[in-house]
């Protein structure tokens, strides 16, 4: 084997055995898509995250704001080393409150005294070393004089009402059917009891008639005998009277 080929094999072996870059975990950040508020009120911008690593002391949470119609994004909040840092020069100064808890995987903030200038997109970004690779999440804030009713809410209410109505109808039908079945069962028991009573009375009447039949026959025979004797006596009476006269 030539010297050049040997050097090439050694180089390939070194590349195969050389340790590669350590893999990094991916952190996942979640926010709502849209949030609505009214002028002068407050709103909570929720931000939660999921990390494969234990919550590090070096965890950091950052919120950025991009005003509606603007291309620039500015940092308005930062959490690091266990302390929250609120922008003290921007429009959210003295109007922002930290309500999150990194140990509960919560990086939420509250914005007070809303104004129309707060319309825009807020971005939440979380880093939990060594879990630092991930995508931030965005939520859009809409500030109104009065929060409009969303079509989805109306549709959801209609669907919910329809489902509730169906459930009520099904419950009523079930109750009525149960009552009808119970009533039929009660009537059936009563009819059975009546039929049983009739049969018992019929049996008693038949037994009574069977006991009374000989007595009636005897009475009839006695009556017939008495009647025959009376008729015979009546027929013999005129002859006797004529003999007495002679």
């Amino acid at each position: 084997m030539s010297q050049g080929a040997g050097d090439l094999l050694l180089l390939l072996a070194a590349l195969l055995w050389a340790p590669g870059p350590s893999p990094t975990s991916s952190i996942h950040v979640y926010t709502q898509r849209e949030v609505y508020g009214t002028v002068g009120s407050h709103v909570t911008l929720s931000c939660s995250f999921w990390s494969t690593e234990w919550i590090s002391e070096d965890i950091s949470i950052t919120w950025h704001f991009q005003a509606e119609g603007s291309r620039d994004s500015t940092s308005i909040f930062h959490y690091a080393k266990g302390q929250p840092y609120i922008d003290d020069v921007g429009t959210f100064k003295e109007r922002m409150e930290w309500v999150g808890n990194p140990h509960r995987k919560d990086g939420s903030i509250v914005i007070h005294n809303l104004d129309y200038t707060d319309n825009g997109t807020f971005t939440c970004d979380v880093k939990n070393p060594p879990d630092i690779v991930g995508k931030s999440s965005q939520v859009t804030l809409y500030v109104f004089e009065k929060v409009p009713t969303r079509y989805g809410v109306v549709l959801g209410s209609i669907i919910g009402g329809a489902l509730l109505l169906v459930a009520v109808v099904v419950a009523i039908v079930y109750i009525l059917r149960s009552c009808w079945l119970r009533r039929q069962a009660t009537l059936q028991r009563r009819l059975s009891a009546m039929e049983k009573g009739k049969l018992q009375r019929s049996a008693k009447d038949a037994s009574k008639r069977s006991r009374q039949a000989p007595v009636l026959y005897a009475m009839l025979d006695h009556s017939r005998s008495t009647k025959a004797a009376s008729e015979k006596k009546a027929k013999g009476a005129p002859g006797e009277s004529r003999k007495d006269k002679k």
Side-chain angles (χ1 to χ4, degrees):
M1 181 182 294
S2 64
Q3 182 67 28
D7 293 340
L8 180 59
L9 290 175
L10 290 174
L11 178 61
L12 290 174
L15 291 175
L16 289 174
W17 285 100
S22 60
T24 55
S25 303
S26 177
I27 190 168
H28 301 274
V29 183
Y30 307 95
T31 60
Q32 298 170 274
R33 294 184 60 184
E34 297 178 349
V35 175
Y36 303 90
T38 56
V39 175
S41 66
H42 67 276
V43 68
T44 300
L45 301 180
S46 301
C47 176
S48 59
F49 61 91
W50 181 85
S51 176
T52 57
E53 301 289 338
W54 291 97
I55 303 302
S56 170
E57 295 296 330
D58 297 326
I59 187 172
S60 64
I61 302 173
T62 305
W63 279 91
H64 293 83
F65 173 67
Q66 182 177 352
E68 186 178 25
S70 175
R71 295 183 178 180
D72 298 328
S73 178
T74 58
S75 175
I76 59 174
F77 175 83
H78 187 69
Y79 177 93
K81 301 297 181 181
Q83 295 294 328
Y85 300 93
I86 300 175
D87 178 23
D88 58 353
V89 295
T91 58
F92 296 99
K93 181 179 65 173
E94 298 179 354
R95 294 196 298 128
M96 187 181 300
E97 179 184 1
W98 163 249
V99 293
N101 186 340
H103 293 285
R104 295 182 180 177
K105 299 180 180 180
D106 184 9
S108 304
I109 58 175
V110 176
I111 299 177
H112 297 275
N113 194 20
L114 291 176
D115 193 45
Y116 293 114
T117 57
D118 298 332
N119 283 298
T121 302
F122 294 80
T123 303
C124 180
D125 184 62
V126 182
K127 296 289 187 292
N128 182 38
D131 194 356
I132 59 175
V133 178
K135 187 178 180 181
S136 57
S137 185
Q138 295 181 338
V139 53
T140 303
L141 172 62
Y142 296 96
V143 181
F144 299 95
E145 183 67 29
K146 182 178 180 181
V147 178
T149 303
R150 304 289 294 176
Y151 293 108
V153 175
V154 176
L155 181 60
S157 300
I158 294 175
I159 294 175
L163 292 176
L164 179 61
L165 180 61
V166 171
V168 171
V169 171
V170 171
I172 292 175
V173 171
Y174 176 79
I175 293 173
L176 292 177
R177 186 173 182 273
S178 299
C179 293
W180 183 80
L181 290 175
R182 285 198 296 269
R183 182 175 178 82
Q184 290 297 316
T186 302
L187 291 175
Q188 188 65 32
R189 288 195 298 270
R190 290 180 179 177
L191 289 175
S192 298
M194 291 174 64
E195 291 294 334
K196 186 176 181 180
K198 288 181 178 179
L199 291 175
Q200 291 177 350
R201 285 195 297 272
S202 298
K204 289 180 179 179
D205 293 341
S207 177
K208 185 176 181 181
R209 284 195 299 269
S210 64
R211 289 195 302 270
Q212 292 177 350
V215 177
L216 290 175
Y217 290 150
M219 293 177 64
L220 288 174
D221 291 340
H222 178 71
S223 177
R224 288 173 183 173
S225 305
T226 304
K227 184 176 180 182
S230 298
E231 290 177 352
K232 184 177 180 180
K233 185 176 181 180
K235 289 179 180 180
E240 293 177 355
S241 58
R242 283 195 297 268
K243 291 180 179 180
D244 293 337
K245 288 179 179 182
K246 288 180 179 183

